[in-house]
Amino acid sequence: MAQHFSEYFQNEFNEHRVLLEKTLDQCAAAIEQSANIISRCLAQGHKVMLCGNGGSAADAQHIATELSGRFRKERRALAAIALTTDSSALTAISNDYGFEQVFARQVEALAQQGDVLICISTSGSSPNVISALEAGRERGCVTIGMTGERNSVLSKQADVCIQIPSANTARIQEMHILAGHILCGWVEENL
């Protein structure tokens, strides 16, 4: 049994390592562009909003917390909101307008020109995330997509897209949180 787990572990770790290198090669420019967009947004007194489903919702909350709390340095709190956390809004909007509008309605209520909306979807095709992106664009937000390798609505419509070169959801999510930490770290370096 120990040998079997050891092989499984090695395979998982090696798959992660290979994707890490591919992500560095293929996503560095999009991550840098996103980091600079977010830094400018926050420096100008605007806010960052994030949305996603499931693990991507957790990533949205994680990144928002690193910005509004702190990542590595003591500094002022930064305006970042995960649109995944208000259970009353999530349930009321889903009930009244349908789940596809759960993030878009919040964007319509909160977004202002100059804000950044980060839309996270490993498939790039989550209807509620796409609706949020469309609402953000209508409100004058800069939109950043975080997705996987598949050419998708999100990868095509976001102003910038961090498109992880994988179709494996777990590996995409691992790279998304790494990219999120890099974004937060760069913001702190530039305050």
Side-chain angles (χ1 to χ4, degrees):
M1 193 70 146
Q3 181 63 26
H4 182 261
F5 177 79
S6 177
E7 289 175 24
Y8 174 80
F9 176 81
Q10 276 304 118
N11 289 337
E12 291 291 301
F13 196 87
N14 287 335
E15 189 177 302
H16 177 90
R17 183 180 10 226
V18 167
L19 182 57
L20 185 64
E21 290 297 325
K22 287 172 71 176
T23 300
L24 176 63
D25 291 341
Q26 296 178 33
C27 300
I31 294 170
E32 179 181 3
Q33 188 177 4
S34 298
N36 289 325
I37 288 168
I38 294 166
S39 293
R40 278 192 304 275
C41 163
L42 294 169
Q44 294 170 357
H46 299 291
K47 67 184 160 299
V48 175
M49 295 168 292
L50 303 97
C51 64
N53 297 296
S56 297
D59 289 345
Q61 292 166 213
H62 185 148
I63 295 165
T65 299
E66 301 289 21
L67 293 171
S68 63
R70 73 175 164 93
F71 182 56
R72 291 189 180 120
K73 296 181 175 184
E74 288 300 326
R75 40 98 175 142
R76 68 180 173 86
L78 302 171
I81 304 164
L83 304 177
T84 57
T85 59
D86 184 340
S87 60
S88 296
L90 296 174
T91 56
I93 294 167
S94 294
N95 185 62
D96 294 347
Y97 298 97
F99 193 61
E100 189 171 317
Q101 295 301 309
V102 72
F103 302 132
R105 290 292 290 185
Q106 293 180 78
V107 170
E108 289 173 23
L110 300 170
Q112 297 176 339
Q113 183 142 359
D115 290 343
V116 169
L117 175 64
I118 301 175
C119 298
I120 309 172
S121 170
T122 58
S123 70
S125 60
S126 301
N128 57 0
V129 173
I130 301 305
S131 292
L133 181 129
E134 292 166 354
R137 291 181 74 126
E138 289 172 12
R139 301 283 297 168
C141 295
V142 178
T143 58
I144 296 172
M146 296 177 77
T147 189
E149 72 181 354
R150 199 173 106 205
N151 284 328
S152 62
V153 175
L154 183 57
S155 67
K156 292 173 187 167
Q157 290 188 3
D159 293 315
V160 180
C161 190
I162 300 169
Q163 195 170 359
I164 304 302
S166 176
N168 180 318
T169 299
R171 297 290 97 84
I172 295 166
Q173 290 172 332
E174 291 161 10
M175 294 304 115
H176 279 174
I177 205 57
L178 174 61
H181 281 160
I182 292 167
L183 298 174
C184 294
W186 186 245
V187 166
E188 283 190 343
E189 289 298 318
N190 285 282
L191 283 175

